[in-house]
Amino acid sequence: MAEVAHTDDLVVDGTRFSSRLITGTGGAPGQDVLEAALIAAGTELTTVSMRRHAVVPGRESIFALLSRLGIRLLPNTAGCHTAREAILTAKMSREAVDTDWVKLEVIADDESLLPDIPELLSATEELVADGFKVFAYTNDDPVAAQRLEDLGCTAVMPLGAPIGTGQGILNPHNIEYIASRLTVPVVLDAGIGTASDAALAMELGCDAVLLATAVTRAQEPALMAEAFRHAVRAGRLAHRGGRIPRRPMAHASSSMQGRAEFLLG
Ligand SMILES: CC(=O)[C@@H](O)[C@H](O)COP(=O)(O)O
């Protein structure tokens, strides 16, 4: 049977993506493994830490790899602890890789890696005013998410769980609420552990999923990447298809209405 046509591209800042799976590169055991995983994921947008990535002479850079694979780069400010550091990193990345897109991460501390919301809001305000397209990594708080949209973010990226924990979506209610309230794309970012977590994010109404660790540190990264490719698509279709309501009691799947007349002629 023919597949349902995938006619609902993700549109971000006027750019269309047929894949709703955004990947990160951190934690990959090698660039060959990463390349195989990126291809298996079918991703069209990948984020790279501008502070952590080193260009090694004589070796293909991550930027060259993404360009060769036709994957758009989303630079990120991972490792920044203050608005000032994040703004500086974003400005340097705009010069270095010639894009005004930035995934804005401002981390409160190195143990939790949770977003520092006051610093995030302040950096967002300044970067938006400077013409950046800000993809803001935030917590699962609907109030903070709304503030980020109001400040002019291009996309808002609430976490499912802390980065690298693989715990999945700790507060599905808040994620669903954020996805239903915001008008900019909502990308579930961080904490994903396995394919069903990504499917759930999409079922809850997120526009896309961003993940790194669940693929890069999987036993078989390319296999896991392919699983995520299908899960994101399945979750999106389920969201569009409209789930049935949850009922407290059994409800016969076949209706009895009209049955007597049919049996009695
Ligand atoms: C790649 C990146 O930007 C990470 O900081 C991101 O938040 C992903 O988190 P996981 O590694 O938990 O998927």
Side-chain angles (χ1 to χ4, degrees), residues 24-25 47 76 103 105 137 162-165 189-192 210-213:
T25 57
T47 187
N76 73 58
K103 182 191 156 190
E105 275 191 40
Y137 168 67
I163 293 171
T165 60
D189 174 10
I192 293 284
L210 189 154
L211 58 92
T213 309

Side-chain angles (χ1 to χ4, degrees), residues 18-35:
S18 60
S19 168
R20 289 173 181 266
L21 175 55
I22 305 170
T23 48
T25 57
Q31 202 139 299
D32 49 343
V33 175
L34 178 64
E35 178 172 351

Side-chain angles (χ1 to χ4, degrees), residues 17 21 26 75 101 114 149 165 180 195 217 235 238 258:
F17 297 95
L21 175 55
W101 284 18
L114 289 170
E149 173 168 289
T165 60
S180 72
R217 297 193 196 276

Side-chain angles (χ1 to χ4, degrees), residues 43-114:
T43 185
E44 296 166 321
L45 182 62
T46 291
T47 187
V48 174
S49 165
M50 301 309 288
R51 284 168 65 105
R52 296 199 176 119
H53 186 74
V55 174
V56 180
R59 212 157 25 137
E60 183 181 41
S61 72
I62 186 73
F63 309 109
L65 171 67
L66 295 180
S67 161
R68 177 162 60 77
L69 297 178
I71 297 172
R72 180 159 179 164
L73 168 69
L74 175 60
N76 73 58
T77 62
C80 294
H81 292 76
T82 62
R84 197 178 135 77
E85 273 181 339
I87 291 165
L88 191 64
T89 304
K91 288 183 175 172
M92 281 166 39
S93 94
R94 180 163 63 181
E95 294 301 313
V97 294
D98 194 27
T99 177
D100 54 9
W101 284 18
V102 65
K103 182 191 156 190
L104 182 60
E105 275 191 40
V106 188
I107 297 303
D109 64 81
D110 287 331
E111 187 180 65
S112 71
L113 298 180
L114 289 170

